[in-house]
Amino acid sequence: FKRMAVALRGSHLQYSEGRLNRWANHHYHNSTLSEAMTHLMIPTYDLVVRQPHFFKSWKAQGYHPTGRETPEDRDYRIRDMVGASLAEPGLFDPKVISTRSGRRITVIDGNLFAANPSMCALVSAQRLHDHSSAYSMLSLGTGRDEQPLSFMKARFWQPAQWHKQMLNFAIDGSQGAVSYQVDKILPQGSYVRVNPHLELSKPVKGPDDTRPSVLRALRHAAEQEIKENTAYSAYIEELKNQVYD
């Protein structure tokens, strides 16, 4: 992110898309969603129809079509989807991308409603596999920075301060609610959510906070979570056996 930052006075953009686009072009070239070697789903938000939009590899491959749509109507270039999934408001512009058939959509990052997409994945799995009950799910988060907020501190906030925190409250609450729902739906022990608490002296400033202290905290949290929860290794081996059986 630091390398993509631009300092343009009065600009509405916080970051330039140039380096991101070059990185995506280098790694993905003209690869398309229909070429995915496993089921892939990426959540975004469509600004035009004001609804969630999911990129689904099986739709691009012709499975479970909706209405008269063709596989080409749901097939996008991977590099375009990468840009769409990173188009967080305030950091990058909304992304306008086209399918192989020429349909265009305008989307932003799906983190606003699917910071934890476990329920989205479960519903799609049930759709693809005829509502089988034999599911196991490993959900990987990016760490939680849950700084306590006392009553004495919050009671004196002005509307602008509440507005600044509302998005964080919504995302944190959504992640917790989804984890609770999926954990209750699946058999005991079938759902594992890895999203460790980050031990920071100061709160994370945003999703683009790349201060050395934050990066060290992310690495430390991941190492501690793996070290203290040896069950993860056994669970991952079980998932691998299910995939390759």
Side-chain angles (χ1 to χ4, degrees), residues 162-209:
W162 278 107
H163 179 73
K164 183 179 179 180
Q165 292 289 344
M166 287 302 291
L167 180 59
N168 293 330
F169 296 158
I171 291 177
D172 291 344
S174 171
Q175 291 191 69
V178 168
S179 287
Y180 172 81
Q181 292 162 354
V182 177
D183 184 59
K184 296 305 179 183
I185 291 174
L186 293 180
Q188 184 174 2
S190 297
Y191 175 69
V192 174
R193 172 70 172 171
V194 183
N195 197 34
H197 183 265
L198 304 180
E199 297 181 1
L200 298 169
S201 57
K202 295 182 179 180
V204 174
K205 296 179 180 179
D208 57 334
D209 191 344

Side-chain angles (χ1 to χ4, degrees), residues 23-236:
W23 177 87
N25 289 341
H26 173 74
H27 286 278
Y28 299 109
H29 304 288
N30 289 317
S31 298
T32 61
L33 183 57
S34 60
E35 297 175 284
M37 298 179 68
T38 188
H39 292 318
L40 175 65
M41 180 176 66
I42 300 175
T44 59
Y45 185 81
D46 190 320
L47 292 179
V48 177
V49 300
R50 301 287 294 272
Q51 291 288 334
H53 179 87
F54 296 93
F55 299 111
K56 300 176 180 179
S57 61
W58 57 93
K59 292 282 189 177
Q61 294 165 348
Y63 297 103
H64 298 287
T66 301
R68 296 183 178 181
E69 70 179 11
T70 66
E72 290 77 15
D73 292 334
R74 299 297 296 268
D75 200 10
Y76 300 83
R77 290 184 300 189
I78 298 292
R79 69 191 193 198
D80 291 336
M81 292 190 304
V82 168
S85 68
L86 292 175
E88 180 162 333
L91 299 183
F92 293 103
D93 270 338
K95 195 77 172 178
V96 180
I97 63 176
S98 300
T99 65
R100 284 202 294 138
S101 66
R103 290 188 177 184
R104 301 177 69 187
I105 59 172
T106 303
V107 292
I108 57 175
D109 179 20
N111 181 59
L112 298 172
F113 70 92
N116 178 0
S118 298
M119 184 61 77
C120 303
L122 179 58
V123 170
S124 292
Q126 292 177 333
R127 168 73 169 165
L128 288 168
H129 300 289
D130 298 324
H131 298 276
S132 169
S133 60
Y135 297 108
S136 294
M137 185 180 297
L138 175 63
S139 176
L140 302 178
T142 56
R144 296 174 288 115
D145 175 34
E146 297 173 345
Q147 300 290 330
L149 297 171
S150 68
F151 168 75
M152 292 304 297
K153 181 178 181 179
R155 68 177 296 196
F156 295 111
W157 280 353
Q158 299 298 314
Q161 292 171 292
W162 278 107
H163 179 73
K164 183 179 179 180
Q165 292 289 344
M166 287 302 291
L167 180 59
N168 293 330
F169 296 158
I171 291 177
D172 291 344
S174 171
Q175 291 191 69
V178 168
S179 287
Y180 172 81
Q181 292 162 354
V182 177
D183 184 59
K184 296 305 179 183
I185 291 174
L186 293 180
Q188 184 174 2
S190 297
Y191 175 69
V192 174
R193 172 70 172 171
V194 183
N195 197 34
H197 183 265
L198 304 180
E199 297 181 1
L200 298 169
S201 57
K202 295 182 179 180
V204 174
K205 296 179 180 179
D208 57 334
D209 191 344
T210 57
R211 288 174 297 167
S213 60
V214 175
L215 298 181
R216 285 195 299 270
L218 285 169
R219 183 174 288 108
H220 177 74
E223 291 172 349
Q224 285 297 111
E225 191 76 5
I226 294 172
K227 181 179 179 180
E228 296 174 2
N229 294 276
T230 56
Y232 290 157
S233 297
Y235 185 81
I236 291 173

